[in-house]
Amino acid sequence: MREVGPFAVEHERIPVQGDKAIIMGMSHRENGVSRAPFQHLNMGFHVGDDGQDVIVNRQKFAEWLHIPLETWIGAEQVHGNHVVNVGAEDVGRGARSIETAIQGTDGMYTNHTGILLTACFADCVPLYFYHKDDTIVGLAHAGWRGTTSEIAGQIINGFNSKLGIHPKDIHAVIGPSIQSCCYEVDDRVISAVQAIDGLSPERVYQSNQAGKYQMSLQALNRMILEKYGVPSEQIRVSKVCTSCHTDLLYSHRKENGHTGRMLSYIGIVGGE
Ligand SMILES: [Zn+2]
């Protein structure tokens, strides 16, 4: 792993125009107050954990980031491909409960400074998007359904149509998630992969001894990003497999569905 801090893995701060910066990363499971099977820093309200513990964890994380919980925005996350351009009017939605989250949505983007886009993960792929000069950021939740319904392309289209950003100027990061070493899928998933328009995705999966397939959601998302025009050299992929690292990260698959959630986050800070 590139970096493990007290609360997050692969946290980075990218200086941008003026005195602003983009911050992004993923929380890990240490230094929180949740009890088993959510130990310790569970960020998900929807998994059966004590909601008050989740708020305490989120507040600890907000203090560490120096970004108040009141400025976070979260979405419901339904494994779809609907994305929303969020702004000041959405601030605080989903921060303290799932009920106030943006419904029926798996991706968000914004050009507002001082907003933290957040989403919860335990194996699914976090996709981070940014444009340095125009300080625009995006975040998407991509399991196999979101990936094969091309949620990455929905964000890129949104950057382009709503904010006038050309795909060649977009940077993308494919964050910690379950990798092909641990991600076995069946024909139903492979059919959805093969149905994606304009790709030759055969190299993202391999049949295994169980008659199923080991698949790389990371490689598939990279192909989709490139299909929508993001330059290959502007796409970075985390090597961290969530299922291989349950000491530090939550894995829905490895922990049989009884576990917590990490928080992926991206936002523009400073300059106010
Ligand atoms: Zn693995």
Side-chain angles (χ1 to χ4, degrees):
M1 267 174 243
R2 190 164 68 232
E3 180 197 346
V4 179
F7 289 102
V9 294
E10 306 211 345
H11 174 78
E12 39 181 331
R13 188 174 197 283
I14 301 166
V16 290
Q17 61 176 9
D19 51 354
K20 294 185 183 182
I22 292 167
I23 61 156
M24 55 190 285
M26 178 183 252
S27 68
H28 57 55
R29 67 189 294 173
E30 292 183 351
N31 299 318
V33 300
S34 293
R35 286 156 292 176
F38 312 107
Q39 72 278 21
H40 304 278
L41 193 73
N42 170 41
M43 294 293 198
F45 287 112
H46 62 294
V47 293
D49 194 1
D50 182 326
Q52 209 49 48
D53 285 351
V54 178
I55 290 175
V56 170
N57 291 339
R58 285 176 167 235
Q59 275 169 335
K60 277 171 173 271
F61 198 76
E63 282 169 31
W64 175 73
L65 273 181
H66 300 292
I67 300 181
L69 185 53
E70 288 65 34
T71 67
W72 296 17
I73 302 177
E76 186 189 14
Q77 298 182 221
V78 293
H79 294 282
N81 71 353
H82 182 60
V83 308
V84 177
N85 181 13
V86 298
E89 66 279 10
D90 301 302
V91 159
R93 294 187 68 182
R96 289 177 178 274
S97 78
I98 190 73
E99 286 75 25
T100 60
I102 299 175
Q103 299 297 297
T105 295
D106 285 86
M108 298 175 283
Y109 59 97
T110 189
N111 58 358
H112 284 251
T113 300
I115 287 176
L116 192 71
L117 305 181
T118 70
C120 290
F121 293 86
D123 291 338
C124 287
V125 180
L127 299 173
Y128 306 80
F129 301 81
Y130 61 95
H131 178 285
K132 286 183 183 177
D133 299 333
D134 282 316
T135 53
I136 293 168
V137 292
L139 181 65
H141 164 246
W144 72 264
R145 289 188 192 84
T147 298
T148 57
S149 61
E150 301 181 83
I151 192 168
Q154 296 299 312
I155 296 266
I156 293 163
N157 288 344
F159 268 49
N160 198 320
S161 63
K162 293 264 177 62
L163 302 169
I165 301 302
H166 195 277
K168 73 173 169 40
D169 296 321
I170 297 173
H171 292 250
V173 175
I174 299 170
S177 41
I178 193 167
Q179 305 244 356
S180 58
C181 44
C182 299
Y183 192 50
E184 184 186 82
V185 298
D186 56 18
D187 286 315
R188 183 173 61 137
V189 175
I190 296 302
S191 299
V193 172
Q194 289 169 337
I196 302 172
D197 262 353
L199 289 191
S200 303
E202 292 74 22
R203 67 181 166 88
V204 308
Y205 58 86
Q206 264 188 327
S207 52
N208 65 18
Q209 290 176 338
K212 296 188 176 177
Y213 306 88
Q214 299 298 130
M215 187 167 102
S216 171
L217 283 170
Q218 297 76 26
L220 183 56
N221 275 294
R222 172 184 268 283
M223 282 180 133
I224 293 168
L225 288 163
E226 290 175 357
K227 171 182 141 180
Y228 281 84
V230 179
S232 176
E233 64 275 16
Q234 287 168 209
I235 303 169
R236 291 183 283 143
V237 185
S238 171
K239 291 187 167 57
V240 176
C241 173
T242 45
S243 177
C244 285
H245 290 282
T246 49
D247 53 327
L248 187 65
L249 303 170
Y250 297 112
S251 171
H252 185 268
R253 187 169 279 218
K254 185 77 173 286
E255 299 174 277
N256 300 312
H258 303 294
T259 192
R261 295 290 182 275
M262 286 87 72
L263 187 86
S264 279
Y265 54 92
I266 186 167
I268 308 157
V269 298
E272 291 177 282

CSV table of all heavy atoms in Angstrom, one decimal, residues 178-183 241-244, ligand 1:
chain,number,residue,atom,x,y,z
A,178,ILE,N,-11.7,-5.3,-4.4
A,178,ILE,CA,-11.4,-6.7,-4.6
A,178,ILE,C,-10.8,-6.9,-6.0
A,178,ILE,O,-11.3,-6.4,-7.0
A,178,ILE,CB,-12.6,-7.6,-4.4
A,178,ILE,CG1,-12.2,-9.0,-4.2
A,178,ILE,CG2,-13.7,-7.4,-5.4
A,178,ILE,CD1,-13.3,-9.9,-3.7
A,179,GLN,N,-9.6,-7.6,-6.0
A,179,GLN,CA,-8.9,-7.8,-7.2
A,179,GLN,C,-9.1,-9.2,-7.8
A,179,GLN,O,-9.6,-10.0,-7.1
A,179,GLN,CB,-7.4,-7.4,-7.0
A,179,GLN,CG,-7.2,-6.0,-6.4
A,179,GLN,CD,-6.5,-5.1,-7.3
A,179,GLN,OE1,-6.0,-5.4,-8.3
A,179,GLN,NE2,-6.3,-3.8,-6.8
A,180,SER,N,-8.5,-9.4,-8.9
A,180,SER,CA,-8.8,-10.7,-9.6
A,180,SER,C,-8.3,-11.9,-8.8
A,180,SER,O,-8.8,-13.0,-9.0
A,180,SER,CB,-8.1,-10.7,-11.0
A,180,SER,OG,-6.7,-10.5,-10.9
A,181,CYS,N,-7.3,-11.7,-7.9
A,181,CYS,CA,-6.8,-12.8,-7.1
A,181,CYS,C,-8.0,-13.4,-6.2
A,181,CYS,O,-8.0,-14.6,-6.0
A,181,CYS,CB,-5.7,-12.3,-6.1
A,181,CYS,SG,-6.1,-10.7,-5.3
A,182,CYS,N,-9.0,-12.6,-5.9
A,182,CYS,CA,-10.0,-13.0,-5.0
A,182,CYS,C,-11.4,-12.9,-5.6
A,182,CYS,O,-12.4,-13.2,-4.9
A,182,CYS,CB,-10.0,-12.2,-3.7
A,182,CYS,SG,-8.5,-12.4,-2.8
A,183,TYR,N,-11.5,-12.3,-6.8
A,183,TYR,CA,-12.8,-12.0,-7.3
A,183,TYR,C,-13.3,-13.0,-8.3
A,183,TYR,O,-13.0,-13.0,-9.5
A,183,TYR,CB,-12.9,-10.6,-7.9
A,183,TYR,CG,-14.2,-10.1,-8.2
A,183,TYR,CD1,-15.3,-10.1,-7.3
A,183,TYR,CD2,-14.5,-9.6,-9.5
A,183,TYR,CE1,-16.5,-9.7,-7.6
A,183,TYR,CE2,-15.8,-9.1,-9.8
A,183,TYR,CZ,-16.8,-9.2,-8.8
A,183,TYR,OH,-18.1,-8.7,-9.1
A,241,CYS,N,-5.8,-5.1,-2.7
A,241,CYS,CA,-7.0,-6.0,-2.8
A,241,CYS,C,-7.7,-6.0,-1.4
A,241,CYS,O,-7.0,-6.4,-0.4
A,241,CYS,CB,-6.6,-7.4,-3.2
A,241,CYS,SG,-8.0,-8.5,-3.0
A,242,THR,N,-8.9,-5.5,-1.3
A,242,THR,CA,-9.6,-5.5,0.0
A,242,THR,C,-9.7,-6.9,0.6
A,242,THR,O,-9.6,-7.0,1.8
A,242,THR,CB,-11.0,-4.9,-0.2
A,242,THR,OG1,-11.6,-5.4,-1.4
A,242,THR,CG2,-10.9,-3.4,-0.4
A,243,SER,N,-10.0,-7.9,-0.2
A,243,SER,CA,-10.2,-9.2,0.3
A,243,SER,C,-8.9,-9.8,0.9
A,243,SER,O,-9.0,-10.7,1.7
A,243,SER,CB,-10.8,-10.1,-0.8
A,243,SER,OG,-11.0,-11.4,-0.4
A,244,CYS,N,-7.8,-9.4,0.4
A,244,CYS,CA,-6.5,-9.9,0.9
A,244,CYS,C,-6.1,-9.2,2.1
A,244,CYS,O,-5.1,-9.6,2.7
A,244,CYS,CB,-5.4,-9.7,-0.2
A,244,CYS,SG,-5.4,-10.8,-1.6
B,1,ZN,ZN,-7.0,-10.6,-3.2
